[in-house]
Amino acid sequence: MPIISTTFSAARRRSRSLRLSVLAVCLWAGAAHAKPDYTVDIDAPANLAQLLRNNLELVAGQQDADIDQGWLDELVKEAPDEAKKLLDTEGYFHAKVSAKLENGNQVKIKVEPGEPVLIDDVTIRLVGSIREQADYQQRFAQALEAWALPMGAPFRQEDWDASKRAVLRKVQADSFPRARMTASEARIDPASGKATLDVTVDSGALIRFGDIQVKGMSRYPSDLANGLADFNPGSAYNQQKLLDYQSALEQSPYFSSVIVSPDFDHLADNRVPVAVDVVELPRQKLESGLTYDSDVGPGVRLGYDHYNIFQRGYTGSMLVDWKREQQSLSLGLGFPRQADGYSHSITSSFKSETVQGLKTDTVDAGLWRIRSRGNIESRLGVEFLKESEEAGGVTSRDTHVSQLVYGWTQRAVDDPMRPRSGYLLDARLSGSLGMLGSSTSIIRGYGRAVGYWSPFPKYGTFVGRIELGQVWAKDGAEVPSALLFRAGGANSVRGYDYQSLGLPGPNGSVLGGRVVATGSVEYQIPIKPDWRFALFSDAGNAADSWKGFQTMRAYGVGVRWLSPVAPLSFDIAKGENDGKLRWNLSLGLAF
């Protein structure tokens, strides 16, 4: 039985060349005959019919103004051979194809594909220095996992090419960026309907990072950029570390443009320098603007940032936010990220607000250790909070707490501006050191999550949201309101006023509870490229305990504008408890 060894240089290659004699006839006839108007009917399985429709010269010729009857006859004649070559790329080496012109203007193509060639055996070899690594077996397993043509699967040229690229990229991504594919062969036996695949990748030498070479810095200390790298000269090359380094530089407040790349042109002693080109931002920034929030109304915001305090790259910030019922002043001092991936900051704020008859004046200060890696940010800190509270103009109290705080946030969505799949997670756990520096001992846990799912993106996106929180305290009356929970408003239970769900207080005021749970199910329907119509149902409440928890429900509709700045949401919801309609306006994702 003959074995046909074939290597495909490119999938679905087409040729436009015709015989010289045919071209001469076409040129002569073109002057005398008008362009024929014809249709092409392809009788084949749906996937193969689409392949032929996308690639046959006969189909493309329908849009060619220079085609004439002689040229059309030649295209019909060559269509079967051209179609068979295309079908070969899908593994159908026994396909029978016929093409004929009927009624002067209708071309009928009939395809009998037969059985596809199946993968009978796959051999993948990794050679070179990679075999000397202690984790070689793990690396080899990762290469096999990247392979997309397992035994028993139909042979497809596209999958064959993609699998080779995937294996090579997997080897190149970690320690061996100079890896090359030294052999690849697909042996096809049309008679038996079997294919044998053989691939060899030579890893080359293990490559390490060289020095980081930064260009474009003049306003800030040069070690700022080096400190954002999560690797050191001499550590093994890793492509993901370069991507993380690029992301860290882009997210820093110092640069408007960043390009990070390995400089293989200057590879020496198997060490590759890392070239970094940056464009710096100004050292200072002043911002002001008008704001509007459906929960707390219009306001004014003024912000100032300085990115090189003491000529050390320290970042200082001040933000003043004034609204009729809510005023705040925030101050911060940030320190550049170090080589260990951590940065540090000092924060303080002063806030006064009156919401649902509860007036609070809060002062807090904190020391934080922060790490950002990929789409995850973690925070560990010590925080002091002092609060004065007045409820309904009748009762008042002063509370304070010193606590350890750990926060963790992950944003894993396909598009932060217009998400259709993925999730957002946020969790925070804090606790006082007994009664030390606190009016009572406290442990507080809080978490929230948002998920996006688009099984059929053309028809819409499901959005689910959940929020849970609880405070454990020795004396609940000594817990600051800022650590308690209320619900209602945008990103909570729409259909109820902002923070109107909680414990009843004097003169109609609403106090915070020690537990909270809210959830939402929403379906967003595309109506225009940047607009979506939303249907949603919300539920939840805040209470003093789970035993006394009563779920409040709301239903509504809304519009989403996927603006260039951030998603803008406008909702109208009806609270089931009082039957009133209320509207909410919010900008950006849930968090």
Side-chain angles (χ1 to χ4, degrees), residues 7 23 44 100 103 132 198 254 296 360 401 413 424 471 479 498 516 567 586:
T7 300
L23 286 173
K100 58 182 178 179
N103 302 323
E132 302 169 7
D198 197 311
Y254 309 108
V296 292
T360 56
V401 63
V413 292
L424 308 172
V471 170
V479 180
Y498 176 58
V516 68
S586 61

Side-chain angles (χ1 to χ4, degrees), residues 23 68 101 105-106 108 138 141 171 230 280-282 292 297 311 387 401 422 450 455 459 503 527 582:
L23 286 173
D68 59 17
L101 185 63
N105 65 348
Q106 184 178 20
K108 287 192 174 184
Q138 180 181 349
V171 176
D230 193 19
E280 296 176 311
L281 285 168
Y292 184 83
Q311 302 298 312
E387 183 180 83
V401 63
V450 179
Y459 299 104
L503 306 183
I527 51 178
R582 295 177 175 87

